[in-house]
Amino acid sequence: MSELLFYDLKDSAGVSPSLATQVCREIGRRIVAGHYRENELIDDETRLCSRFGVSKSVVREAVKLLVGKGLLEVRRGSGTRVRRRAAWNLLDDDVLAWHQGVEPRPDFLRQLMDVRQVIEPNAAAWAAEFASDAQIADIQAAQKKMEVADTIEDFVVADALFHRSILRAANNEVLMAMEGVIFSALLSSIRITNADPRENERSIPLHRQVLDAIEARDGARARAAMTEHLGDTHSRLSGVLAGFDRARSDI
């Protein structure tokens, strides 16, 4: 669900992917999940054609897409090999989406959370200062959905929409270009911290404080409220994800 929600948040889920894109995503998911390991060869072209029921031209295009994302390299005479993770384009939307289907890496999630803590408090402040009435209405609608959500899935969707609405209400084009990083961090952390429905009640007032500040057009208070909210998320992740606090020293 998280990967599909990622594409939904990016407004790209409704676009029917080509066969090459579908194969690219299937291979990419396997690489991110570790089924194809770093520095190892993937299946040859014939096996990939047989596995996915597509032509060689489709497989070649899929491989080309993955080469562009930094996940694969093609060496004539020796096959197609998975590149080291350090060479991956980790900011690529598909690569970020594929991480939603695997067990979270504490170091990677910590780095994503670091980015959230830098960006989102400022986004909340800018939303308070520059959002249109319609954009604030979107944030209010997401807050309402969180408060009435009957299931964890409904709450996760509403939570994600809340943060997306704030990012977009900041009306900053450069920030919009970084949406994928925020969505990946958001969905990964929500999946962990919202596993217990009782935790939803704990986070709703923190979201409400952010909304109240934005409604009041108080940028400083919105920044502080989002900082408090993300600090709570950090604490909750530290309590349930082994290695999260130690991850910084491993970077």
Side-chain angles (χ1 to χ4, degrees), residues 53-244:
V54 296
S55 66
K56 288 188 176 181
S57 63
V58 169
V59 168
R60 287 168 187 163
E61 181 61 26
V63 169
K64 183 178 178 180
L65 291 171
L66 289 165
V67 169
K69 296 177 188 295
L71 273 66
L72 292 177
E73 63 177 351
V74 180
R75 294 180 181 177
R76 182 170 297 180
S78 61
T80 302
R81 189 178 304 274
V82 178
R83 299 185 70 187
R84 293 177 57 249
R85 183 180 173 88
W88 299 0
N89 180 2
L90 291 173
L91 299 184
D92 180 89
D93 284 341
D94 284 325
V95 177
L96 289 167
W98 299 334
H99 276 86
Q100 301 304 312
V102 302
E103 192 71 20
R105 290 171 51 113
D107 57 340
F108 187 53
L109 182 53
R110 174 54 186 265
Q111 291 172 62
L112 290 173
M113 277 301 303
D114 285 346
V115 174
R116 286 190 70 188
Q117 289 175 308
V118 169
I119 291 176
E120 289 198 76
N122 288 314
W126 295 331
E129 296 170 10
F130 305 122
S132 67
D133 290 342
Q135 288 172 326
I136 291 179
D138 288 339
I139 303 170
Q140 292 168 331
Q143 175 72 26
K144 181 63 176 177
K145 288 179 180 178
M146 274 191 286
E147 293 173 352
V148 301
D150 292 325
T151 66
I152 292 177
E153 181 173 335
D154 288 344
F155 187 90
V156 167
V157 171
D159 196 345
L161 290 175
F162 180 89
H163 287 271
R164 184 183 76 169
S165 297
I166 291 174
L167 286 172
R168 296 187 174 182
N171 291 307
N172 183 301
E173 292 181 350
V174 176
L175 181 60
M176 290 282 288
M178 299 185 67
E179 274 190 340
V181 178
I182 302 301
F183 295 158
S184 182
L186 174 66
L187 295 175
S188 296
S189 61
I190 287 175
R191 182 158 44 118
I192 296 168
T193 60
N194 285 27
D196 186 342
R198 292 170 298 182
E199 294 294 336
N200 297 347
E201 297 180 3
R202 171 178 170 177
S203 67
I204 285 176
L206 296 172
H207 287 85
R208 168 56 68 179
Q209 289 179 33
V210 176
L211 173 57
D212 288 346
I214 292 174
E215 289 175 330
R217 300 291 187 175
D218 188 332
R221 183 153 63 96
R223 181 183 290 108
M226 183 62 82
T227 298
E228 180 182 357
H229 168 41
L230 293 178
D232 176 73
T233 300
H234 181 282
S235 296
R236 291 162 65 187
L237 285 169
S238 297
V240 298
L241 185 59
F244 182 78

